Amino acid sequence: MQVADQENQAPQQQTTAVHAYNPEVLQDMLPVYYRRLFPHLPFYRWLSYGSSEDAIFSNREISFTLPDDIYIRYLCFDTQAELEKEICSRNPIKIDIGPVMHTKPKNHRSIPGGLTPVQRELVFDIDMTDYDDVRTCCSGAEVCLKCWKFMVLAARVLDVALREDFGFEHIIWIFSGRRGIHCWVCDHQARHLDARGRYAVAEYLNIITYANFSGTNSPRCAMGERPHHSLKRALKIVEPMFEEVILEDQNLFGTPKGVTKLLNMVHDDAARGELESYLQKNLEDGAHSRLIWESFNKYASSMRTSTANAWSRKLKNIVSEVQLGLLYPRLDINVTRGFNHLLKAPFCIHPATGKVCVPFSVSAVAKFDPTTVPTITQLLHEINAFDDKSKSYMEAPEDKSRIKDHKKTSMFKGVVVFEEFLRKLERNQKSASLQF
Amino acid sequence: MEFGLKKRARHEVKVEVASLETKYPHNVMLYHYPPTEDVHIDEFEELALERLRLLRVLDRASNRNQRLLSDEWKENVSADLTREGLRSYLRLCSAGGSTKHEADIQTRRRDYLSHFILRLAYCRSEDLARWFVAREMELFRYKFAALSSAEVKQFLEANGFEIHPLSEAQKDEVKDGLYESTAGQSVAKIELLDFYKVPFTQVLDLVRGRRCYLKAGFAYVNTHDLVSLVGTKQQDEIEQGLQAAKTMVDDVEADERISRTLKALHNSYTGRDYTVCRDAAIPIESLDQLSKTSMPLCMRMCHEHIRAQHHIKHNGRMQYGLFIKGIGVTLEDSLRFWREEFTKKMDADKFARSYEYNIYHNYGKKGSMVNYTPYSCAKIIKDATGPGDCHGCPYKYMDQGSLKTKLSSYGLSASAVDEVMSFVSRGHYQIACGKYFQITHNSTVEPTIIHPNNYFEESQITMGNRQKRTNGPALPKARIKDIKGHGDRSMLMGEDDDELWRIAETQERIMQSQKDISEAFNDDLDLTQIDY
């Protein structure tokens, strides 16, 4: 149902090109954005968790980044009104969310022994730059629809693992505004995991290791004799997309350098040499990835069935290992491990792109297009256009119209996803409190 | 815990054994209740030092990079324990966990008391606590591994673990998952084993290693893996115990006799942590030269990476930055070094904003004001490396082909390369590093490398020596200081003297080698001509 909603609310995309974002005027636009568009109330509803625990909102560390890289940490707010007032008066370029501390973080200087975090969402950060060695379409900060598919797979694999294996339900996914995605797991148990627990979950989900090959790192994923169910499930998600993403879109093995990448993933020196000469003999340089992959598959399976050798033991699962190695989510596990790590809040504006950090629904992640995520410039034009058309803004009292402003814009669906997440979270809290 | 001074009369011992039997019924205990009996001050000290020697045996084993509880590991530990005169503890870690031999019961008592004494010594800093917890957990696992499955059940009952195996029907429901995801057991075995369903947070190390089936927040654990459940509980117990000990430590230390013991213990551990270089100042101009002669491979790679790329990622900055601090590069020099390199790729402003803080931080001048300790081999080997990283232990993270190329590019002969590689392929990274040292220093002794800074120091000493007396006797070896216990208090002073003597000795050598290096510099190149 959620998916259908998003479809219907297709934004006016033609405006994107017309109103290009200019980073220099961001400071002038932010006051309007925070006053009229930022979803203050849902934001508060999220972080207060229905006030289910003592001081859960007021002891939360929030930090602001102001112009000229002025970074203010250890802020905290008692009420929604106070937070909203502060955001609207300071107009931060970026808002970060830290842990809930044992006491008010703003008193951090006067507390003997310093602040101790008591709870914090379990967070994941996946950055497109970690995929630079497997994408040929863009590099660095750029992102296009082709490379977004890596994020699609990452979100799907992680989301299902968190739900099925760990039993987490309240998971919100956020587009980070430029090239990555964030995931916040907000279940009670996830928020209360200690450092060791976070480390264990992060390691459980982090299957990729890197082996150094003459200066370049080659991803590795060891599946072992009997692959763990989580790896098998990940493979089921990744495998159907492998041809499209790696072979067609990226044509990753289409150059001699690309073939080396494939070879480097074969973790046996002798076998790698054999494969290399086999490929050289049978294919010419620059053959399409599809052909390379077919030959590789054929060779691996023929070697596996012939006699006992590295291919039938150590490299038994090599085909699957390459698929997972290239497409399994590449986590920045330090973000997940850290109890104290600050992470950018949803609905911030990314200062370089002007794009809103919008939540998205995992079930519709394939339809999410990072290149058409609304920029602040576009949003402001959209409200103006709407106001001009209806003239309601001038006549209606400001308070009323403000609540609904985001509905006039293409930010709408992001807020809907967020509210859907909140509704489930709050329903859960209600039923939990009824049990007592 | 009470610290009295009542001296036990000899004839009471027998009576005590009877009560001890109920107090310490089993080799494996959770250290839940602090002991309340009176302990004589001499014994207190003796127990503390005995425990320290015990834990150091385990520390050495983990530094050898052998898998915990592997045959190799066990062999080493048991030989080491025997050498240290701790055979009685070896009995604690072998089968027959609930014997009623008097000697065994006495050992259990010593084990129990000494654990609580060391809590007092190791609660005072995070680093100490981490070391202590890691060693204690190794000891616990060693002891627990000796239990039979009947004994495990008995242990669980005795310690209030209320868990029950799944019924056949329950097991049947999840059997596919169990077959797929239970590590270390064959399918046939899984059919027969009892499984327990526990919240995943109780068996974190199984979760971390993907060694059990996990569904909806519950882990399915078989009898053999229950050690993880008990271990998690034990670790919580010790960590909480350390927190509690922290609050008591002031009271306890009001007694000067006790505080002296506890502090000596603490110092005897931190004596060689390389946080502050006491020996000499190293000018950054000599780093290029030193990287070739005296740095282990891991640091040389970092150094070359910085010189070539003018940038290095965070973990690399930590690893290399702390290392050069440890060898004696001053804060000012360090700042200059990083700035000169980084500003080839970015403007000075960005450097000041993004990187300077980190350097001050490492030297304990900003933030938490902790003077950070350079990384040891154990930490470097454990560090995970990602794309574009250059930190970590090259013997571990580099593939063998490129490692070979690297080594021969550093001037090792083919046979020397093979010799080093033979250790690498068996996973003995530190021994490989020692071999590399021996070859590059043309030395007769192969030092035990446990810390990059100790590699550097050894190298400086060796080079100093070579210049001074060409065919001198055996080269000085880094001594791992051992403390002798048995309540001999004079040895505490002896230890200090020893330390002073060692510092003086090293200083002399380093100064000599400094002179040699600078002479070498004068010969080869004019410092003013170096273009950074």
Side-chain angles (χ1 to χ4, degrees), chain B residues 268-279:
Chain B
S268 69
Y269 168 62
T270 53
R272 311 289 300 134
D273 74 351
Y274 304 98
T275 302
V276 182
C277 178
R278 287 165 300 195
D279 298 329

Side-chain angles (χ1 to χ4, degrees), chain A residues 325-376:
Chain A
L326 296 174
L327 290 174
Y328 190 90
R330 301 181 170 192
L331 306 172
D332 183 345
I333 68 159
N334 288 330
V335 175
T336 308
R337 283 179 65 176
F339 215 143
N340 249 330
H341 217 98
L342 291 143
L343 191 67
K344 182 159 61 170
F347 300 108
C348 283
I349 302 292
H350 193 291
T353 61
K355 283 177 184 163
V356 187
C357 304
V358 279
F360 61 86
S361 132
V362 158
S363 52
V365 59
K367 300 203 181 80
F368 186 87
D369 180 352
T371 59
T372 59
V373 167
T375 64
I376 185 169

